Amino acid sequence: MAYVRTVKTASGARAVQIVHSQLRGSRDIEHLGSAHTDADWELLVAAARQKIATGQGELDLRLPDSPPAGGGPLPITGSRMGVLVDALERAYQALGFDRAARKDEVFKQLVLARIIEPTSKLDSLRVLAEAGIDAPSYATLKRRLRVYAGLPAKGLPPLDHDADGEPQDSEPQDCEPLVVDPTGGPWRTRIANACAEHVGLGPATYCLYDVTTLHFEAHEGDGFREPGFSKERRLEPQITVGLLTDAAGFPLMVHAFEGNRAETTTMVPVLQAFMATHGLTDIVIVADAGMISETNWRAIEELGWSFVLGARMGEVPIVVQKWRDDHPGQEIPDGHVFTRPWPAAPSDKRRDHTYYYKFSAARARRTLHGIDEQVRKAEQAVAGKSAVKRNRFVKLAGATKTVNRDLETKARALAGIKAYVTNLDDPSAEHVIATYSALLNVEKSFRMTKSDLAARPVFHHVRHSIEAHLTIVFAALAVTRWIENATGWSIRKFVKTARRYRQITIAAGGQTITAADPLPDDLQAAVDRIHRPH
């Protein structure tokens, strides 16, 4: 018969042993280890009992709520995605969101849940529970959404001022709902201020701007969710979302507009609100040609802002045509850049402009292939072999259909040429083109917002809930970009890898013991980079 015994060692530790037999003074003893703390001793004793009980039958005579028998498994009292949650909380704190959100635990939990597994607000409680985070009640969650949208919080006690002397967001319970702030309210403003502080915002900051649309599962518009031009070619009501980032794609501001509002009318209001919030007089705006309407152009010039913009080309640029005239029969070298200064006249209310035109052989091949295909379809339509569909090379004059050869000639002459314009002082072509190319970082942020953070579908229907949802997604996007910058991993890879490694707490006797899965070297290195001082 085997039993467990404890022997005190010379160093004061307690050695746990299994005595398998004792016959005529001869003993078969197995030494399991030495314990220097009560918790270690309890764990060794429990392991010894399990080892003795292995393979033995056992009568379950325990009463309800009694501890397990000597050889039974130790109960797990807690389980947590420690590696993932600690990393996300570290990023959240490094960005200053704890202070910006007034240490609101519900907001932080919703941001973390959006990154771990984006889902509906109700199902996010399940995500938090699986991550080992104490989740709020569903009623509390819904009540807090009003606050995150800048409205009084129904059911919350009124607080006049916080520790910093700033007014709180909550007001008496009998307050009526206020009109939702189109900029997202003070909560999103504080998050945006934290983001601006993180990137070191200043007059030399390059701000990239782009828009996207988020659609809803609804049949009719309500003034905010309205059908409009959809980037996803959908017919449902939608909202238009403008995102402002720095040159690396780190989010600085998000702004929601009506779904039927033209993209070009969103840029100037967002930039004006951004500059007013941060007290800036000039920034460098980087935007695509699709964002620049004639009205936008005049507004930017009048406000005196610096810019790097994509430019439209109605005709073949003079400098390009001159080069072709001087080099008949030659192809423009791949990567060649044409420069065209455009000084301001004394009566012009603008700064000097510089245009750059870059030729790309790869872009030319793609464009010419598309032109060939469109011209072929236009010729079939003109010959009556196919129906007349939307085709820019089909020219209609009454009932007469012809192929627009002049337009074809101009399109082929422009193939492969991309235009840029700036009003920066002493610009270089390399700097301007590289700056414009950084717009890919905004597109990446939008892709992360829609895929990794699942900003769509939007499980909200009222305006303040939608604004709160965008604020949570905005904060989550900042956290994910911080994680990616710190680790060099994509957020998808980091979450998928780190969530598998859990920390558990085990009850052994009267002690609670913590255990954790060992981390692979690459994940450990990524975690170390997250937690090192920044």
Side-chain angles (χ1 to χ4, degrees), residues 115 448 452 480 483-484 489-496:
I115 300 172
M448 291 172 64
D452 299 324
T480 57
I483 291 287
E484 290 193 342
W489 291 23
S490 71
I491 191 63
R492 184 186 296 268
K493 175 184 176 181
F494 183 77
V495 171
K496 184 178 179 180

Side-chain angles (χ1 to χ4, degrees), residues 376-395:
R376 183 184 64 81
K377 292 180 179 179
E379 290 172 344
Q380 289 182 337
V382 169
K385 297 179 180 180
S386 64
V388 178
K389 297 181 180 179
R390 186 174 180 180
N391 189 313
R392 61 174 175 155
F393 295 113
V394 175
K395 184 177 182 180

Side-chain angles (χ1 to χ4, degrees), residues 78-91 93 112 116 127-134 483 494-495 497-505 514-519 523-524 526-528 530-531:
S79 178
R80 180 172 177 266
M81 295 179 189
V83 176
L84 178 57
V85 172
D86 290 346
L88 297 181
E89 288 184 342
R90 161 65 177 148
Q93 293 169 359
L112 267 56
I116 295 171
V127 174
L128 292 171
E130 290 181 357
I133 302 173
D134 293 332
I483 291 287
F494 183 77
V495 171
T497 304
R499 70 180 301 164
R500 299 200 300 266
Y501 297 90
R502 305 185 70 92
Q503 294 174 350
I504 61 173
T505 53
T514 301
D517 295 318
L519 303 185
L523 178 58
Q524 184 64 61
V527 171
D528 290 342
I530 289 173
H531 290 285

Side-chain angles (χ1 to χ4, degrees), residues 47-59:
R49 289 174 178 167
Q50 286 182 335
K51 191 164 188 177
I52 292 173
T54 301
Q56 298 183 15
E58 181 179 329
L59 294 175

